[in-house]
Every structure is written in C-alpha cells, then in structure tokens.
Amino acid sequence: MKIFHHLTRSIGLYCVEVALGAFAFCIAGTFALALFNDIGVSGWNIVMSQIVRWFLFWVGIYLVHNVLPIAVAHGRTRREFLTAASAFAVVLSLAVTALGLLGFYSEDGIYYLMGWSVDGHAEPLAFLMMFLVWCAAGMFCAAAFDRFGVAGVVAVPISLVLAAVTSARMPQSGDLPFIHEIPELLGNGWHLLSLVAFLVALAGTWAITRDAPVRTR
C-alpha cells in the first residue's frame, strides 16, 4: 500500500497537472486557429486519442525502469511493487479517462458558445481500455529491455499488436484496404480483446521481472 500511495501522490498528481496544462494549451490553440480557419474538429479529441496514449506508455516505462529499482533498493519485493504498479495503472487510466470526459464536456460548452461544429469521439470505455493497454505495454517493454538489453526489442512488435487492438473502437481508425470498418466485425467484443491485451502485457511484465536482476539507478 505504501508503494501505491507513493505512486498516487507523485506520478498521479503530476499527471493531473499535465492534463490541465494540455487542455489549456488545446483550447488556446483552437482559438488561435479560429483566427484563420473554420473550426470543425475537436482538438481535445486529437489529444485524447493520439497523444495521451503515448504519455501513458511513458508512465509504464517509468514505473518499471525508474521506480522498480528504487523500491527494491528500499527493501520492497518485486511482487509487492508489481502489484502496486498494476493497481496504479488501473487507477491512473480511470482518472485520465474521467479528466478526458470533463475536458470533452468543457470543450463542447466552449464550441457551443462560439458556434463551432465538433466531430464525434470514442466512448469512455474505449479510451479507458486504450490507456490501460498502452500503460501496460510500456511496462512490458521496459521490463524486456532492462533484463535482455538489445534483445528486448522483441517486445516492441508484441506491444504494437496489443496496442493496435485498442484502436478498433476509435472513430476513423478501423479502415484498411481490404477490411473496411473493422469495429463492426466484433462490435463491443473489441473491449474484451483490449482487456485480454492488457492482461497479456501485465503477465509478460510479471514473467520477465519477477526474478530479473535489478540495478539501482
């Protein structure tokens, strides 16, 4: 529990600050763009669907590569840390999704007052599953590179496949040359696949890290 509380206080609060700053920058950028063009695209949707996932990916890397060695050096077991980190990934993804929804509501109000049109965005569950998988994929990649060095690159294509599953429920992300509208193939079943992808990434992280040598940084 001490590790979880530490992660929540440090990384969690930092993520909230980043989210607020990103939203302010997004709105300011939208008003600047409105001086030259008509607004018909949700800037916050671009942030949520394209940028935030990479931030969660970085958080996953940071947890394993930076925080794990410190926790072990202070007498915590790998199992204790990975349990706390996995729980934190879930809580963080929920919090980021909630902040994202608040951003959408705020943006919708601003767009309405300004008379701007706005495109649609994915449902909250799709965002949540995407954030979960990308954070876990970051943990998996960090664990692989930390233990196997350059050979850890094998984890990259695996992580890409796992992450690709989450894009199926994102608007305009499911068209391929020979298979159109991929989301229609399984419907909401893609959320279940995303959950499986999250568990696979976590299982891979645990399998690699549970007996790996840890070097204090």
Side-chain angles (χ1 to χ4, degrees), residues 126-141:
F127 282 115
L128 173 60
M129 299 312 300
M130 179 174 68
F131 298 153
L132 283 172
V133 173
W134 279 71
C135 187
M139 295 171 65
F140 176 59
C141 285

Side-chain angles (χ1 to χ4, degrees), residues 84-99:
S86 300
F88 174 73
V90 174
V91 172
L92 179 62
S93 297
L94 285 168
V96 172
T97 301
L99 288 172

Side-chain angles (χ1 to χ4, degrees), residues 43-154:
W44 188 239
N45 187 37
I46 296 175
V47 172
M48 284 290 291
S49 60
Q50 302 295 329
I51 300 176
V52 176
R53 58 185 179 181
W54 287 104
F55 179 76
L56 269 293
F57 184 77
W58 169 80
V59 170
I61 294 175
Y62 181 80
L63 288 174
V64 173
H65 183 68
N66 295 83
V67 184
L68 172 59
I70 297 176
V72 173
H74 283 78
R76 303 297 177 182
T77 65
R78 293 171 180 79
R79 180 176 181 179
E80 183 181 1
F81 173 81
L82 290 173
T83 299
S86 300
F88 174 73
V90 174
V91 172
L92 179 62
S93 297
L94 285 168
V96 172
T97 301
L99 288 172
L101 287 178
L102 181 61
F104 279 124
Y105 292 143
S106 300
E107 185 188 61
D108 287 346
I110 294 173
Y111 274 46
Y112 176 79
L113 292 175
M114 298 300 299
W116 297 333
S117 59
V118 61
D119 53 351
H121 56 77
E123 56 189 345
L125 183 57
F127 282 115
L128 173 60
M129 299 312 300
M130 179 174 68
F131 298 153
L132 283 172
V133 173
W134 279 71
C135 187
M139 295 171 65
F140 176 59
C141 285
F145 277 100
D146 283 351
R147 177 161 188 177
F148 304 117
V150 177
V153 71
V154 175

